[in-house]
Structure formats: C-alpha cells, structure tokens
Amino acid sequence: QLQLAESGGDSVQAGGSLTLTCAASGSTYGSYCMGWFRQAPGKGREGVAAFYPDGHIDYADSVKGRFTIFKDNAKNTLTLQMNSLMPEDTAMYYCAATFPLRCGLEGSYDYWGQGTQVTVSS
C-alpha cells in the first residue's frame, strides 16, 4: 500500500513558476513508477510526467522544456518543477504510483493522491 499527498498548488500569473510536491508513505517507495497527471475542467486526464524506477523520464510534449520531475527515494517525495507557466496549464494536478510494468504517461496507475489545484492567469 502507498499513500500519496500532493501540495504546492497555487494561483500564479502566466510566466511564473510553481513546485508541486508529492509525499509518499508506505514501503518500497523506490520500486514504484511515479507520475504526475492533470485534469482541467471539462477535459480528460492527461499524463504530464512519468519517472520510471530505472531513472527514465517521460514528459508530455506540452510541458517539455518547462517542467521537470524529480523523485527522491531517500525522502519518499516526488516533485514537479513547473516554469514558464501558461493559462493552459491550469488544472488539478495529481500524483500517482504504479508498478514498473504499467509505467508511462498512459500507464495504469494503482495509487492516487487527492490532487492540488494550479491556476494560471494571463
């Protein structure tokens, strides 16, 4: 079992930055694939970034070069550094975990946090 809790969401102006943090509790955190997802009002859930256990990282094309995902196995945290934010980044952001074989931006995730809201105004 893994419990996830996101924090760091806020309202910012376009061009600004935010850092989202996901705190995980439970055993064997280091063996999980971790990901950040987002869902805007009226839209489907979108994979933003995925961190594989071997260190491989996938980013959605829409955030490449602007967002950075980092997994700290010693602290059981997953962060998402978001720079050059745009209004289209406005969404509820979720942290999720799954087993390595189901990893990826479109993978099947087993554990989810409650989400943290990011709002970017123009």
Side-chain angles (χ1 to χ4, degrees), residues 40-93:
K43 295 187 177 181
R45 188 171 62 203
E46 175 190 19
V48 175
F51 197 111
Y52 291 68
D54 65 0
H56 176 75
I57 294 172
D58 283 335
Y59 291 104
D61 288 342
S62 58
V63 306
K64 281 180 182 176
R66 300 188 299 121
F67 290 11
T68 302
I69 188 172
F70 177 71
K71 185 171 182 272
D72 190 331
N73 290 333
K75 296 182 179 180
N76 280 16
T77 58
L78 183 76
T79 59
L80 185 69
Q81 175 65 43
M82 305 186 295
N83 298 324
S84 302
L85 283 162
M86 302 184 293
E88 46 265 49
D89 294 318
T90 294
M92 184 71 79
Y93 283 72

Side-chain angles (χ1 to χ4, degrees), residues 11-22:
S11 297
V12 297
Q13 296 281 337
S17 298
L18 280 176
T19 301
L20 305 184
T21 300
C22 174

Side-chain angles (χ1 to χ4, degrees), residues 3-32:
Q3 291 79 43
L4 305 173
E6 305 93 336
S7 63
D10 205 345
S11 297
V12 297
Q13 296 281 337
S17 298
L18 280 176
T19 301
L20 305 184
T21 300
C22 174
S25 59
S27 61
T28 62
Y29 171 72
S31 64
Y32 286 94

